[in-house]
Amino acid sequence: MATLGDIGVSALINILTAFAFLLAFALLRIQPVNDRVYFPKWYINGGRSSPRSGGNFVAKFVNLNFKTYLTFLNWMPQALKMRESELIEHAGLDSAVFLRIYSLGLKIFVPITIVALLILIPVNVSSGTLFFLRKELVVSDIDKLSISNVAPESERRVQHIFNKYLFADYLAFLMSYGLFRFFVHIGLQYLFTVYICYMLYKEYDNIAMMRLQFLASQSRRAEQFTVVVRNVPQIPGHSRADSLDQFFKTNHPDTYLCHQPVYDANKFAKLVRKRDRLQNWLDYNQLKFERHPEKRPTKKTGFLGLWGESVDSIDFYKQQIKEFDKNMALERQKVVKDTKSILPVAFVSFKSRWGAAVCAQTQQSKNPTLWLTNWAPEPRDVYWRNLAIPFVSLTIRKLIISLSVFALVFFYMIPIAFVQSLANLEGLERVAPFLRPVIELKFIKSFLQGFLPGLALKIFLYILPTILMIMSKIEGHIALSTLERRTSAKYYYFMLVNVFLGSIVTGTAFEQLHSFLHQSPTQIPRTIGVSIPMKATFFITYIMVDGWAGIAGEILRLKPFVIFHLKNMFLVKTDRDREKAMDPGSVDYPETLPSLQLYFLLGIVYAVVTPILLPFILVFFAFAYLVYRHQIINVYNQQYESGAAFWPHVHSRIIASLVISQLLLLGLLSTKKAANSTPLLVALPILTLYFHKYCKNRFEPAFRKYPLEEAMAKDITDRTTEPEINLTAFLTDAYLHPIFQSFEEEELVEVRVDKHQSDADNAGTSNDLSSPSPPQGVHHHSFSPQYIYNFSSPAHYGYHYEAEP
Amino acid sequence: MATLGDIGVSALINILTAFAFLLAFALLRIQPVNDRVYFPKWYINGGRSSPRSGGNFVAKFVNLNFKTYLTFLNWMPQALKMRESELIEHAGLDSAVFLRIYSLGLKIFVPITIVALLILIPVNVSSGTLFFLRKELVVSDIDKLSISNVAPESERRVQHIFNKYLFADYLAFLMSYGLFRFFVHIGLQYLFTVYICYMLYKEYDNIAMMRLQFLASQSRRAEQFTVVVRNVPQIPGHSRADSLDQFFKTNHPDTYLCHQPVYDANKFAKLVRKRDRLQNWLDYNQLKFERHPEKRPTKKTGFLGLWGESVDSIDFYKQQIKEFDKNMALERQKVVKDTKSILPVAFVSFKSRWGAAVCAQTQQSKNPTLWLTNWAPEPRDVYWRNLAIPFVSLTIRKLIISLSVFALVFFYMIPIAFVQSLANLEGLERVAPFLRPVIELKFIKSFLQGFLPGLALKIFLYILPTILMIMSKIEGHIALSTLERRTSAKYYYFMLVNVFLGSIVTGTAFEQLHSFLHQSPTQIPRTIGVSIPMKATFFITYIMVDGWAGIAGEILRLKPFVIFHLKNMFLVKTDRDREKAMDPGSVDYPETLPSLQLYFLLGIVYAVVTPILLPFILVFFAFAYLVYRHQIINVYNQQYESGAAFWPHVHSRIIASLVISQLLLLGLLSTKKAANSTPLLVALPILTLYFHKYCKNRFEPAFRKYPLEEAMAKDITDRTTEPEINLTAFLTDAYLHPIFQSFEEEELVEVRVDKHQSDADNAGTSNDLSSPSPPQGVHHHSFSPQYIYNFSSPAHYGYHYEAEP
């Protein structure tokens, strides 16, 4: 067990690391050359088009204003400056609510830390059991500050003291007596639970209000009028489009407007992705040729470009792209014309928000598996590929994935251990005997022996979020926001079992599962509860490594930094290319939300048991709040806006943490021979779960449904302010498969941009190779040119539509 | 443990009892005097107005046609004659689906019984472990037919036989070898599960279709157009009615028609009940006086009529009723005029079924706890008293009741044991010393000693359904059908824990709970599973006593028989009184459904373990099907029609039985040292639960929601067939609190009846004392006389409305 000194050393190292990261960040961010890495949001927003810099050439890349080096920490107050309402406008509600989770952490843990430290540390220290009775045991200083130090109830001692001393002494003894202290712990657990529930309630209320206000303040958006219908049956003799029109004209006669069929364009999307890759190669080769005009780049046509005939690269890729374009045009026509490629899914639009709200919330058909309606996600939030999944397979997919997640959580060590058993030195020597002399070197050998076994695990943990995301995609959700929420849930289960429980109880998760299955249900919290105080030092270290240093790494953005500069060097030709290269992406909810929830869990569990852990959590929350506020203001550009749809999950997981902490305290106290006091704690989980149920009823509908009152109010406002609006034009192509738009719009965007700049450049742009000539047979497709889209790849829909007719 | 002989004796006794009941029924039912006890449904239906009987006076009471005595069992084929479609028309869908549960039992258990008996009995008997190895143990013959008789796996034996005999012998041994047999059991469990799931799926599909057809075939009904709105907020400065009108006119402008406020008339209802009691006493005394005109009945005014001044009873009650009428008129005016007695609940009616379906299924308000809409129950299904419960208290009520049910299920023995400890002979002697000489008589003493301890338990079990119904009422459901379903669920939990588990595991439910909490989760099915085969004899006896004899008692209707004849003798004056006295009530779902589900559980659990139990279950299902078919055709008159809303509960409890049986077989086999084969069984519960989830998604919406397609289709039909219908008139008073109708309608009914009979009687009727003069100030209340209601007491709403305008 670590002593206070060890913790101090560890803290120092981590603080130094974090500080080094911060310093690096502070220096790098003020260099103009890095401006697009650390402030991309402003470029995307249109707030900035080129780095702020001085006049001369050097100042374009390096900051020469030495005054700014002195104020290198001024990003912190800057990050706090923006008010929440501005933040919502700037970055969306998702980001603002994401930040509120950190501030909620602060609001919850600041008072708890103060109370816990003031009350519990003296109580735990003054109770001398560990000091006097167990000196032979190796007891860390941390343990002295935790509940481990409180003496178990001892009838004998009471008797003894009562006989020997006077009543006053007895009272004094009572003060130092274990049982009394456990009541302090139990009382504090009650106090903290009530306080946390109160804060959660206020926060939920607040966020529900924010969500409704946000939805109400939004301008006209396609998803407010649109419902996604799944399992559209095909009436024999009618086309699917006819069946749809007929059904909705019958059942929503006053509100039905139009519908957009969904095409199975996954094959086409694959072609688009391949073509993008070819285009990249072409760009790269052309740039190479421009820089070294003396030598045309060549390429071998064989496998991986390693052998075969050598050809001119530029000609080769141009030829390839030309062929691809021909194929794609054919494929596109096939998709549009073939009735079989129309999926049993459609986006149905209504004349009013009220009509859409009614359709989304009601059951349409007698057969409850047909005509399933739900709110359409935002156009840019749609995960098109999953719309092609047949609805019947969804339940099976869900079953399989939930079994897989269970297996992954509990048995992930098995394949890794297997790989580890292969990836040892003997194995390496057998596969590559020529490496033997190198391996046998003592330094390298010890390095490999230390490194190889953990390698498989490290690779696994690195790709885990990707694996979980793939699993969620297999589950068949049709919105990116849902996919991220589901991934985040899976990651949370993994962390809960393997980081939290796995660190507390020894053995693999599988062994734990096995032993838990063979223990009584009351024994489990006891087994875990007892180990809780002993693992405090481990978790303090964890918070410092994963929390502090991790967050400092987040602000430094080392990976995007390197990638941007590499791309900038080799690929970027036009401004559009540069924009693509600097694309900061969204906040990584699937990873940040679960780890955030883990910190809540740690804080809540240790609040009563080992309160010395709380300041470390506090530092994490405060620091992460600052960093993410900065990142959200300056870096991230959310891909979609779900209106804080993740909040109910965050809320319920904090509630789960509360219940876990209560059960563990129950288990811990029952082993402390203070078992008589535990009935006092039994009521807590029941009340907490009841509170959760209440919140669910009270607030969750605001996140799942759209009230008719609201819809009607917005409809009426619209009707009075813009009575002449042409909704059909507005909605016709809102949910067109992005694939069908990519080329036309790319061209359109360019044309527009050029027009804004100068009309003379126009001819040059249309000859620009980065803007491919549109394939034949596409222009016939219905397309309303007043809406400007900018689809470049399926992973990067920059979807903007403007409301003016 | 009982031997086969014991079972035979028990079976004989029970068969004789059942046969005696049947004989008594067969004789009693053909007596004209009992016609209203055994065929009330036909009187209510209007199919019969007086007993079929011969001409003379005696034949009016006793059946003199001796030919009918010979065909005394002909009710059985008669009960089967009516086709299901007629049955639905005759008794409603609830009753028809209730019968389908019994026929489902037959469909499930007939093939299972045949397969199980053919395959398992030979397998179990031929395996000789119990015969040869455990002769010293007391093993019943039943055990020989059960899984207990299959030898545990024994490696040694295989070795031994393999060494000694030839291969052919080895094969023969394999046939008799335990492990192989357990695979037979496991295979059969799979087979049965698949078969039961298939039958359940077919049945659910069928019943969902029947429900939709039934709803589609119904004529215009108030509940199709009406939604119950709870938590109606009061806008300051507006009355609640204005707020309602405004809200729905804004948010459902095209479909909103009108609303009916709900008054808090619980105090008034109490007065009505008291007045009814007084009226009964008055009737009784008047009848007494008519029979003995020489002596006017008198009554003492003091406590319980035991002392005090003696007064003329008829005058006394007349006076009392007069005073009551005055008070009630005042109270009624107060209720109608006082705005505070208008509850925040209203029945909101729409112009079309589509409008109501939309309103019922959508969220109305931004605040999800306000304007809560749901389908209105049928007017006769409304439990008015609970509409006055404030909505906020509902969640608390639910929490308290679920805790109480938990306590009741697991700790009900504690108060009963306490009462039992008081109600012993010494206690009795101390309280009533004068009884000592009587008690000390040996015969009486032994009777009391055998009787007293069980008395408290018997009383408790008798009133248990009432207790559970009161609990459900406290939970605050607003429909009688919901109340009955909730009560039925609670009763099922009680039976599951205290009858099923309680009989298998020794000790009280509380002790079981305690030991289960301290066992590992895998140990619990083992503990129970092992005891399962040993308790087969007990359950066979249980099926015979509770099932066979109970059902025979059901058809005899001894209690209603006695009560009807008593009432007929002392209270009945008019035809209406006789109708009231013969009121058969509804099928007692809260008691019959849970016990039915218990039989499913027993059958499914023992199908593989001790198949000899199955024929007893089969006999129960066949017999009960016949009896209830007869009762539903001839006796019961459903108070409400929920459209088989209970089916999803029945379905999910049969699924639960399946899962329980799988877990118990798993536990049983794991102790049989055939533990290696148990992984084969683990997949079963998962697949079964998955099947349940699939069914829930597939069919449950048909029971919870009303599809818009359906609503629109009916609306269109209505519009084309009856374009001129005045819906407002039809709906205005559909949901008027029954209290406000009771008097007017009683009079109206009488007037109508009289008009049909003869106009001359009219004057006599209005002087009739059974029809009280209407209180003042009531006639002003809006009331549409074209609808004839017949409300006599809150427990007996005979609600009929006619659709002709």
Side-chain angles (χ1 to χ4, degrees), chain A residues 250-251 354 361-368 396 517-522 690 698 707-710 712, chain B residues 250-251 354 361-368 396 517-522 690 698 707-710 712:
Chain A
T250 312
N251 295 310
W354 189 90
Q361 294 178 45
T362 50
Q363 200 200 337
Q364 308 301 316
S365 151
K366 272 182 270 188
N367 183 338
I396 297 167
L517 279 180
H518 290 82
Q519 271 174 350
S520 82
T522 51
Y690 173 69
R698 173 76 181 74
L708 294 188
E709 189 185 10
E710 191 77 22
M712 191 49 106
Chain B
T250 312
N251 295 310
W354 189 89
Q361 294 178 46
T362 50
Q363 199 200 336
Q364 307 303 313
S365 150
K366 274 183 270 189
N367 183 338
I396 297 167
L517 279 180
H518 291 82
Q519 271 175 348
S520 82
T522 51
Y690 174 68
R698 173 77 181 76
L708 294 187
E709 189 185 12
E710 191 77 22
M712 192 49 107

Side-chain angles (χ1 to χ4, degrees), chain B residues 121 338 425 449 494 530 679 735:
Chain B
I121 296 273
D338 185 11
L425 285 187
Q449 268 172 344
F494 188 86
V530 174
Y735 283 94

